Amino acid sequence: MQEFIELFKSHYFTIIYLVALLLAIRFYKKYFDTALKYFPIIIAYTFFNELLGYYIRYNEGFAFFSKYTSANDLIYNIYTVVFFGYFYHVYWKLIQLDKQKKIVAGLSVIAVIGLLINGFFLNPLTTNLFYATCLCSWILVIIIGMYFKSRKNDWLWASERFNLMFWVSSGLAVFHFFLPILFLIGFLKHSAWIEYDLRTVVRILIVIMYASFCLGFVISRRRAFR
C-alpha cells in the first residue's frame, strides 16, 4: 500500500489515467460500436504500463535484466508500437476518401520503417527508441490534421462538441505536437531538460490530453460520433 502511495505522490499524473479508464467504461455504450470500441483497453494498457515502468525503475525485484536493473525502455518501446498502431488504424477507418486512406497507410509504413531503423542503431531492449517515437508522434498529428480536413464541409460546433472523436483528436494533437520537441531535448540535451523541469511540462500535457478524453466521454453523444 505504501508503494502505491509513493507512486501516486511522485507520479500524480497517473491518476488521470485511472479517471479516464473509469469514465471510458462508464460511458462505453456511447461508442461501443465505433472505431474507438477498443479505447478502454488502450487506456488500461497505458495505466498498467506506467505502473510496471515505475516498479521496474525503482524496484530491483521487477528488473528485466540483471545488468540493467532500472531499464524499463523495453515496455515503452512495445507500448509505442501498440499505441500508435491502434490510433493509425482508428483514423484509417474514420477517413472516408480512398486517397487519404492510402496516405494514412503510407505514413503508417513510414512509422514502422522508422522504428526498425531506430531499433537497428539502438538496442530496443535497454534503450528508448526516442527518434522513432518522435516520428510516430508527428505522423499521428499529420493524420489527425487529415481527419479534421476531411470533415471541414460538415463541421459545426453545435454538433461537433458532442463528438467524442473531436475531444480525443484534440487531446492527442496537442500532446503529440509538443512531445517530440520535449523528448529530443530530454535525450539530446539533458541539462536543459533538468534546468527547465521539462518532465513537469510533459506531465501537464498528459493531464491536458486525458482531461480532453474525459470531457469527451462525459458530454459526447452517440449520434454525433464521426
Side-chain angles (χ1 to χ4, degrees), residues 8-216:
F8 289 121
K9 283 174 62 177
S10 60
H11 290 63
Y12 55 87
F13 63 96
T14 56
I15 296 174
I16 195 70
Y17 297 145
L18 184 57
V19 173
L21 177 59
L22 295 175
L23 290 176
I25 296 172
R26 168 65 177 81
F27 296 104
Y28 188 61
K29 63 182 179 180
K30 294 182 179 182
Y31 62 95
F32 73 96
D33 58 348
T34 70
L36 283 179
K37 61 183 177 180
Y38 299 118
F39 197 19
I41 297 176
I42 294 297
I43 297 175
Y45 177 32
T46 301
F47 176 66
F48 289 112
N49 197 67
E50 284 294 331
L51 292 184
L52 180 58
Y54 173 85
Y55 284 113
I56 292 173
R57 178 69 67 182
Y58 298 106
N59 191 324
E60 292 186 6
F62 283 82
F64 285 143
F65 311 102
S66 58
K67 186 178 179 180
Y68 305 99
T69 56
S70 64
N72 58 8
D73 301 286
L74 174 60
I75 66 169
Y76 287 106
N77 289 332
I78 295 173
Y79 176 79
T80 293
V81 174
V82 175
F83 179 88
F84 288 106
Y86 169 75
F87 277 108
Y88 293 165
H89 181 67
V90 165
Y91 287 103
W92 180 84
K93 291 185 67 175
L94 289 174
I95 292 174
Q96 299 298 316
L97 295 178
D98 288 339
K99 182 179 180 181
Q100 292 182 326
K101 279 182 174 292
K102 290 179 180 178
I103 294 175
V104 172
L107 290 172
S108 301
V109 171
I110 292 174
V112 171
I113 293 173
L115 284 164
L116 292 174
I117 293 175
N118 203 174
F120 180 79
F121 288 101
L122 297 175
N123 184 354
L125 299 179
T126 58
T127 307
N128 191 293
L129 303 180
F130 62 94
Y131 286 117
T133 300
C134 293
L135 175 64
C136 289
S137 285
W138 273 327
I139 285 178
L140 180 58
V141 172
I142 292 171
I143 291 174
I144 291 172
M146 291 173 57
Y147 163 73
F148 280 128
K149 184 178 180 181
S150 71
R151 301 201 51 250
K152 65 179 181 179
N153 293 330
D154 63 347
W155 198 97
L156 292 172
W157 174 244
S159 59
E160 194 66 17
R161 61 180 173 166
F162 299 114
N163 178 10
L164 178 57
M165 276 309 304
F166 169 78
W167 297 103
V168 171
S169 299
S170 298
L172 287 171
V174 170
F175 179 76
H176 287 284
F177 178 81
F178 292 104
L179 178 66
I181 300 170
L182 299 170
F183 232 40
L184 290 173
I185 293 174
F187 281 97
L188 301 180
K189 197 169 181 59
H190 193 66
S191 58
W193 171 270
I194 299 297
E195 180 180 357
Y196 297 105
D197 194 16
L198 296 184
R199 184 190 302 274
T200 298
V201 176
V202 172
R203 291 176 174 178
I204 291 172
L205 288 172
I206 290 173
V207 172
I208 291 173
M209 175 173 62
Y210 274 84
S212 183
F213 296 168
C214 291
L215 182 60

